């Protein structure tokens, strides 16, 4: 029995072709799910050994730390050992971030159920973003200025929304010169809430603009690597935007700075979960 085929034939649609196509779609959904589960499982398994590496490097640094300022200089070997331990710590932290973001991305792609949407104030999102980006901003002496119309509210997951804006602000900081300004402005326009992050940084070439939201795509390999990023930040922003029924846009001039704008629906969708599942998210 083939209820779909019978139904389609009853509608006068050439059964064979449509049925084959339906089977292909089912198969490709299944493969996409297998791939997501695989990435999620591998990432999860990697978290424990990476955490152990970080702790071991820390223990090595603690154990070889000079006891006081007046202690005689460390031997050359010990200095080298400390340098290697610092490197292990740095690289394992980076690996940890990569795994964390891979997990986050697979979660957003639907490997796990989404939390039910809740009202989230833009004020809360901005406070959270400032908190999360404080260290990077201080390290580069970048002044992050936020400004929001009072009373703006969006609907969805508070942590995901904060992650999306924080990723944009992190990038704005990383791809700018020191002592510049990053502006984060929220306003209501048409039926959207718009959150725009503007930097005075290096900008993006026109032929890279369309590709930077792809996983691991980097416009400037050398620069991007040295920022310690994973190449997943914007892919995550894009998924969060679409999971919230919105989108992210960029306007940029090479050498002249960039503006990334997150556009989110101002009103809660009737049933966000239904909208998302019918969109296959
Ligand atoms: P990464 O971890 O490399 O920053 P992202 O996905 O966040 O990964 O960004 C992808 C690429 O887009 C970056 O490597 C960089 O080349 C470019 N990019 C992102 N944000 C900016 C920005 N504000 N200014 C200039 N280039 C940017």
């Amino acid at each position: 029995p083939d209820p779909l085929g019978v139904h389609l034939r009853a509608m006068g649609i050439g059964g064979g072709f449509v049925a084959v196509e339906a089977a292909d779609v089912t198969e490709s959904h299944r493969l996409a799910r297998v791939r997501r589960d695989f990435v999620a499982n591998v990432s999860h398994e990697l978290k424990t050994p990476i955490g152990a590496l970080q702790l071991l490097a820390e223990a090595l640094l603690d154990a070889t730390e000079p006891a006081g300022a007046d202690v005689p200089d460390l031997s050359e070997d010990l200095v080298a050992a400390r340098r290697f331990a610092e490197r292990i710590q740095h690289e394992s932290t980076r690996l940890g971030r990569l795994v964390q973001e891979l997990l986050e991305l697979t979660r957003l792609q639907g490997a796990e159920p989404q939390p039910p949407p809740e009202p989230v104030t833009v004020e809360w999102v901005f406070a959270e973003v400032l908190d999360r980006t404080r260290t990077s901003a201080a390290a580069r002496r970048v002044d992050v200025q936020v400004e929001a119309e009072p009373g703006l509210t969006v609907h969805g997951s508070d942590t995901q929304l904060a992650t999306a804006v924080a990723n944009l602000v992190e990038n704005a900081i990383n791809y700018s010169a020191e002592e510049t300004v990053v502006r984060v402005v929220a306003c209501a326009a048409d039926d959207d809430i718009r959150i725009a992050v503007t930097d005075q940084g290096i900008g993006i070439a026109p032929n890279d603009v369309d590709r930077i939201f792809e996983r691991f795509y980097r416009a400037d390999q050398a620069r991007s690597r040295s920022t310690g990023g994973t190449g997943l930040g914007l892919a995550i922003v894009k998924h969060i935007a679409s999971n919230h029924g919105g989108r992210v846009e960029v306007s940029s001039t090479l050498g002249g700075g960039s503006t990334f704008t997150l556009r989110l629906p101002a009103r809660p969708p009737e049933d966000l979960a239904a909208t998302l599942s019918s969109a296959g998210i």
Side-chain angles (χ1 to χ4, degrees):
D2 171 11
L4 176 67
V6 171
H7 184 63
L8 292 171
R9 269 191 297 279
M11 286 163 52
I13 299 173
F17 175 70
V18 178
V20 167
E21 205 169 55
D24 279 354
V25 170
T26 314
E27 178 62 3
S28 77
H29 277 170
R30 193 187 67 79
L31 285 176
R33 199 181 57 240
V34 168
R35 203 189 57 205
R36 280 198 306 263
D37 288 352
F38 175 75
V39 175
N41 289 339
V42 171
S43 308
H44 193 75
E45 290 301 317
L46 285 173
K47 272 167 83 171
T48 311
I50 293 170
L53 279 178
Q54 283 168 332
L55 284 177
L56 287 168
E58 213 171 290
L60 208 53
L61 284 168
D62 280 351
T64 55
E65 193 167 13
D70 53 351
V71 166
D73 282 349
L74 295 177
S75 74
E76 256 179 48
D77 285 350
L78 212 49
V79 170
R82 284 182 63 80
R83 215 177 43 241
F84 293 148
E86 273 165 8
R87 191 97 202 132
I88 294 172
Q89 198 177 36
H90 177 80
E91 296 297 342
S92 53
T93 301
R94 187 161 164 192
L95 200 53
R97 199 159 50 229
L98 178 61
V99 163
Q100 186 60 38
E101 294 203 341
L102 266 177
L103 261 178
E104 178 138 22
L105 197 57
T106 44
R107 230 175 261 145
L108 290 168
Q109 285 171 327
E112 284 180 22
Q114 292 290 305
E118 284 173 18
V120 183
T121 65
V122 169
E123 202 184 355
W124 181 87
V125 173
F126 280 7
E128 179 72 14
V129 167
L130 285 176
D131 213 39
R132 291 196 200 180
T133 56
R134 183 160 291 129
T135 314
S136 338
R140 299 188 57 79
R141 293 194 296 280
V142 167
D143 182 14
V144 180
Q145 301 175 353
V146 297
E147 186 188 322
E149 278 175 20
L152 292 180
T153 301
V154 282
H155 302 270
S157 149
D158 53 1
T159 50
Q160 285 184 21
L161 290 165
T163 298
V165 181
N167 283 2
L168 295 178
V169 173
E170 271 304 329
N171 280 347
I173 294 168
N174 284 333
Y175 298 106
S176 292
E178 295 201 350
E179 295 184 26
T180 50
V181 172
V182 167
R183 279 177 58 75
V184 190
V185 178
C187 63
D190 307 324
D191 287 334
D192 289 335
I193 302 286
R194 295 188 192 171
I195 301 178
V197 180
T198 302
D199 64 55
Q200 305 165 323
I202 59 175
I204 304 159
N207 51 347
D208 287 319
V209 160
D210 293 337
R211 303 203 54 196
I212 52 173
F213 293 95
E214 293 171 19
R215 282 170 296 172
F216 299 116
Y217 187 84
R218 292 165 141 176
D220 176 344
Q221 290 287 344
R223 170 93 183 218
S224 306
R225 222 165 274 285
S226 72
T227 64
T230 58
L232 294 174
L234 287 180
I236 289 175
V237 176
K238 187 177 163 190
H239 275 281
I240 292 176
S242 81
N243 281 4
H244 285 77
R247 59 180 193 272
V248 55
E249 294 167 350
V250 55
S251 91
S252 184
T253 321
L254 194 58
S258 313
T259 296
F260 285 79
T261 307
L262 198 56
R263 293 174 60 155
L264 300 162
R267 268 182 261 163
E270 289 282 300
D271 180 353
L272 186 60
T275 317
L276 297 180
S277 73
S278 69
I281 294 167

